[in-house]
């Protein structure tokens, strides 16, 4: 018997980009999974130049793009969809049903943000992925499994597991060398985010692609990527409890995670968390 055909995994990373509102947006990943004849893309990037480069990589791989899978309902992971579907006519776009619903609910406000934040460099997107029928995508006879793990940087986060090569394309459930976005979730959500990371660890992957990563970092340093994501959340919880203001929280996190890039994500997370903490304290006093 000939061995099962394997899958090539290629990660395309967009560079960090300046935001019109100040600060920067983290480098973001899209992943091309290629069998001998077919390919599946996971997430799409957002800026026109990056999506063009991603399309060029798909073309260079020389496989038929059958499917674009979206991990979660954030514009930086799916706004390249319309341009890619136009370029790769035979491809379908899919996500798990809860991701489609979440994308629909936030789509118009995401279109506004994409226009405002990126100075005309972001693509507009008028389409949404379709709900995937079941939880399996097949590439050249090999199964890929879509798994809803739950809370990541937003709720209804999913991952794509590639059992034949022990790989997980993890969206924003894990981060790799980049400050994590904790402004779209709160203290009640963070233990569940850690549980989502536990679910990835339980798959015993050899490769984990983070939704945001420092471009030069490898995808197979599981301790740094998987354990590192949990450590970061736990540290943020600890430092938030001790800090009276956002500046102190940012400083403490930067000391503990000096290697992580894009402090903008940390500043936004810290400012939001401190405001929420102060509001909670005020309402306790009033009660
Ligand atoms: Zn993201």
């Amino acid at each position: 018997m000939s061995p099962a055909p394997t899958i090539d995994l290629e990660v395309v990373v967009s560079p960090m980009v300046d935001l019109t509102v100040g600060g920067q947006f983290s480098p973001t990943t899209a992943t091309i999974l290629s069998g001998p004849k077919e390919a599946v893309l996971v997430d799409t990037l957002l800026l026109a130049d990056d999506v063009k480069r991603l399309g060029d990589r798909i073309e260079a791989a020389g496989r038929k793009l059958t499917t674009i899978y979206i991990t979660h309902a954030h514009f930086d992971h799916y706004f390249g969809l319309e341009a890619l579907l136009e370029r790769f006519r035979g491809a379908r776009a899919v996500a798990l049903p809860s991701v489609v619903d979440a994308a629909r609910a936030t789509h118009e406000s995401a279109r506004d943000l994409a226009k405002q934040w990126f100075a005309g460099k972001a693509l507009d997107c008028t389409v949404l992925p379709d709900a995937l029928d079941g939880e399996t995508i097949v590439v050249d006879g090999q199964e890929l499994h879509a798994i809803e793990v739950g809370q990541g940087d937003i709720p209804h986060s999913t991952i794509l597991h590639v059992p034949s090569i022990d790989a997980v394309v993890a969206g924003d459930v894990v981060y790799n060398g980049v400050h994590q976005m904790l402004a779209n979730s709160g203290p009640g959500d963070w233990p569940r985010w850690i549980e989502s990371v536990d679910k990835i660890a339980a798959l015993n992957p050899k490769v984990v692609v983070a939704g945001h990563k420092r471009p030069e970092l490898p995808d197979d340093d599981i301790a740094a990527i998987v354990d590192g994501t949990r450590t970061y959340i736990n540290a943020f919880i600890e430092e938030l409890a001790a800090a009276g203001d956002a500046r102190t929280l940012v400083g403490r996190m930067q000391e503990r995670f000096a290697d992580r890039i894009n402090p903008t994500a940390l500043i936004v997370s810290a400012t939001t968390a401190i405001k929420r903490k102060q509001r909670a304290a005020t309402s306790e006093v009033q009660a």
Side-chain angles (χ1 to χ4, degrees):
M1 243 175 69
S2 60
T6 187
I7 290 179
D8 286 332
L9 181 151
E10 180 185 356
V11 182
V12 178
V13 190
S14 66
M16 189 128 84
V17 60
D18 289 336
L19 295 168
T20 56
V21 288
Q24 294 184 301
F25 200 85
S26 297
T28 303
T29 69
T31 304
I32 306 166
L33 299 165
S34 301
K37 292 183 183 145
E38 296 176 342
V40 169
L41 173 67
V42 187
D43 291 347
T44 70
L45 305 180
L46 164 71
L47 300 196
D49 287 351
D50 297 331
V51 176
K52 158 91 174 55
R53 195 163 54 89
L54 173 60
D56 293 346
R57 293 304 311 157
I58 295 166
E59 237 170 63
R63 273 54 162 213
K64 179 182 164 39
L65 183 70
T66 62
T67 307
I68 303 173
Y69 178 77
I70 304 299
T71 57
H72 66 295
H74 248 180
F75 65 167
D76 47 323
H77 301 267
Y78 82 91
F79 263 43
L81 209 48
E82 191 164 359
L84 289 167
L85 290 173
E86 251 166 53
R87 182 164 173 181
F88 299 95
R89 290 290 178 160
R92 63 178 181 149
V94 294
L96 289 183
S98 62
V99 174
V100 179
D101 291 344
R104 187 175 292 115
T106 53
H107 190 69
E108 290 310 315
S109 55
R111 288 178 72 190
D112 288 341
L113 281 188
K115 277 186 202 117
Q116 285 169 31
W117 282 4
F118 299 97
K121 291 186 215 147
L123 289 168
D124 189 17
C125 182
T126 63
V127 301
L128 291 171
D130 294 323
L132 178 65
D133 187 9
E135 288 159 355
T136 302
I137 295 168
V138 177
V139 55
D140 284 317
Q142 298 179 81
E143 287 191 355
L144 318 176
H145 298 143
I147 302 170
E148 180 162 358
V149 291
Q151 182 70 42
D153 74 328
I154 58 170
H156 307 299
S157 290
T158 80
I159 60 171
L160 193 65
H161 182 214
V162 191
S164 57
I165 55 168
D166 289 321
V168 170
V169 186
D172 292 356
V173 180
V174 300
Y175 285 65
N176 188 0
V178 177
H179 282 292
Q180 296 175 206
M181 177 48 72
L182 288 106
N184 300 315
S185 56
D189 305 313
W190 296 331
R192 286 186 292 108
W193 186 348
I194 290 170
E195 283 170 22
S196 300
V197 181
D198 291 341
K199 290 176 192 167
I200 293 174
L203 296 168
N204 285 318
K206 295 193 178 86
V207 169
V208 175
V209 182
H212 299 284
K213 66 174 281 193
R214 233 167 75 197
E216 68 276 19
L217 291 180
D219 302 300
D220 59 359
D221 187 347
I222 303 303
I225 301 165
V226 174
D227 302 339
T229 297
R230 285 187 285 226
T231 304
Y232 190 98
I233 299 168
N234 280 321
F236 193 88
I237 294 168
E238 241 176 75
E239 298 296 345
L240 172 62
D245 58 79
R247 184 183 290 265
T248 306
L249 177 52
V250 168
R252 285 292 302 140
M253 288 298 287
Q254 276 186 313
E255 259 170 48
R256 287 179 71 164
F257 298 91
D259 289 345
R260 298 223 182 189
I261 59 168
N262 196 12
T264 304
L266 171 59
I267 292 165
V268 173
S269 300
T271 309
T272 307
I274 289 285
K275 263 189 207 148
R276 202 183 301 232
K277 181 178 160 181
Q278 285 166 345
R279 262 204 312 270
T282 314
S283 59
E284 250 170 49
V285 171
Q286 282 167 352

